[in-house]
Amino acid sequence: ILPLSSGRKVSEVLDSTRSAKFEKNSGRKAAVSVNSTIAIAFALRIATTLHSRGSRISLHQLKALRINSQDALISGDHVLRLASSETLGRLASLSGTNFLTSQVKMLVDQVVNNRDPYARAGCALAFGSIYTHVGGIAAGPLLKTTINVLMSLGNDPHPVVHFWVLSALAQVVNAASLAYAPFVSSTLGMLFNIYLLKTHEPDGGTVTNTNIKGNYPVYQVVCQLIDAVVAVLGPDIKESARTRNLVLNLVHEFATELDEGICVEAIKCIQHLLMFTPDHVDISDLVNQLRAHLASPRRPLKLLDIV
């Protein structure tokens, strides 16, 4: 329906969700905002399928949807941020180069000028979504800008920011694939520094930040990012002893963590390393670790060992 609707009709529908009558009922206003944002994201999922890829969104539709998504992108609600970032990414895939360039510029300006952690987290998600949905070829010229912004935000002490930033960077690595190879060294260096930062530790940082870190397991995302980097390197990881040792040391440290979520992601990395550099993985130590997990009462660890 979306590609067939006029820009005016789309604008009218979106304007109705921001009606002044909702100001008297904050709960209803929040519900309408969430429902409309998610509905738009779902509509664009259909619009970007192979079946309807030939349908192009008009300039009026694009403007109306972008304004709505940009407002939701800096929301304190993570559901709105996720849905709006997906919307912007899919809009970028349906539109031309001008929209893509202007959107990236807007995100960069927002990151520089807006210190709100939720706004920065939303912008990071949008960077990851845009690159993922547009594709490595079309978004190739923006890869360096995207990586520089995300790596800079990765050092932000607020858990909401660095968690979603690293999640977005993992998206970019997976989408870029071999095109990400020139940035592998700097990414691993950043991850090593993050591991040493007290602000990024599960119990580190200010009291306020520590209280919300339970919802943002950053070390799990770091392991996922390392795994994505290993996939980019592939068999070439055997050629560089420095890179290989840095990856192995980081994964080993995470594998010894008490948190089961971190252990699960670290073992997934080890499984990947076994494919490309089996001679440098301590098999006996890994087997002992897996046997200990099989005897553990924790279901995630058992399932991982079985798989």
Side-chain angles (χ1 to χ4, degrees):
I1 297 174
L2 181 63
L4 301 177
S5 302
S6 66
R8 180 179 177 182
K9 175 60 74 174
V10 172
S11 297
E12 288 177 357
V13 172
L14 294 177
D15 287 342
S16 68
T17 65
R18 295 190 292 267
S19 174
K21 64 183 180 181
F22 293 132
E23 297 297 333
K24 298 179 180 179
N25 190 331
S26 58
R28 187 179 181 187
K29 179 182 178 181
V32 169
S33 178
V34 171
N35 289 339
S36 60
T37 304
I38 293 177
I40 291 171
F42 284 172
L44 287 172
R45 285 184 187 180
I46 298 173
T48 52
T49 57
L50 292 176
H51 176 70
S52 55
R53 182 62 67 90
S55 301
R56 305 292 291 182
I57 291 182
S58 69
L59 184 61
H60 293 295
Q61 290 175 318
L62 190 64
K63 183 178 180 180
L65 293 171
R66 180 177 63 179
I67 292 174
N68 183 79
S69 299
Q70 287 176 351
D71 291 340
L73 191 66
I74 60 176
S75 168
D77 189 329
H78 75 280
V79 174
L80 284 175
R81 294 198 302 273
L82 287 168
S84 59
S85 63
E86 179 182 346
T87 296
L88 290 173
R90 294 186 182 277
L91 283 175
S93 70
L94 290 171
S95 58
T97 306
N98 291 337
F99 175 83
L100 179 61
T101 305
S102 64
Q103 193 59 44
V104 170
K105 183 179 183 302
M106 184 279 294
L107 292 173
V108 172
D109 293 340
Q110 188 74 248
V111 167
V112 172
N113 299 320
N114 196 334
R115 310 296 295 183
D116 180 71
Y118 299 104
R120 288 188 152 199
C123 291
L125 285 169
F127 272 114
S129 180
I130 288 173
Y131 194 88
T132 299
H133 291 295
V134 172
I137 297 177
L142 301 173
L143 179 59
K144 185 176 181 180
T145 300
T146 300
I147 293 172
N148 288 341
V149 172
L150 293 179
M151 290 182 65
S152 175
L153 287 175
N155 294 315
D156 193 297
H158 200 286
V160 173
V161 178
H162 57 244
F163 173 81
W164 290 115
V165 164
L166 295 176
S167 298
L169 186 57
Q171 279 186 291
V172 173
V173 176
N174 288 320
S177 189
L178 295 177
Y180 197 86
F183 307 98
V184 164
S185 296
S186 58
T187 301
L188 289 176
M190 178 201 69
L191 294 177
F192 183 76
N193 290 332
I194 283 176
Y195 184 67
L196 297 178
L197 290 174
K198 291 185 177 180
T199 54
H200 290 54
E201 292 178 358
D203 299 323
T206 64
V207 175
T208 303
N209 288 348
T210 302
N211 290 336
I212 63 175
K213 279 189 174 182
N215 298 322
Y216 303 100
V218 65
Y219 281 176
Q220 293 184 33
V221 181
V222 170
C223 289
Q224 293 169 6
L225 190 47
I226 294 173
D227 192 47
V229 169
V230 171
V232 171
L233 290 170
D236 292 342
I237 194 173
K238 293 186 290 187
E239 305 300 325
S240 174
R242 179 178 176 274
T243 299
R244 183 181 64 249
N245 290 334
L246 182 55
V247 170
L248 289 170
N249 289 335
L250 279 171
V251 172
H252 175 74
E253 290 297 323
F254 287 124
T256 58
E257 290 281 343
L258 297 178
D259 186 285
E260 64 184 43
I262 300 173
C263 290
V264 167
E265 296 299 334
I267 292 176
K268 289 179 181 179
C269 289
I270 295 174
Q271 291 172 336
H272 220 155
L273 288 167
L274 280 171
M275 295 173 57
F276 302 124
T277 177
D279 297 338
H280 296 89
V281 177
D282 191 335
I283 303 296
S284 60
D285 181 65
L286 176 61
V287 170
N288 290 332
Q289 194 173 17
L290 294 177
R291 290 175 63 186
H293 290 165
L294 284 173
S296 171
R298 306 302 298 171
R299 180 178 172 83
L301 294 175
K302 284 186 176 182
L303 288 177
L304 175 68
D305 290 3
I306 294 172
V307 174

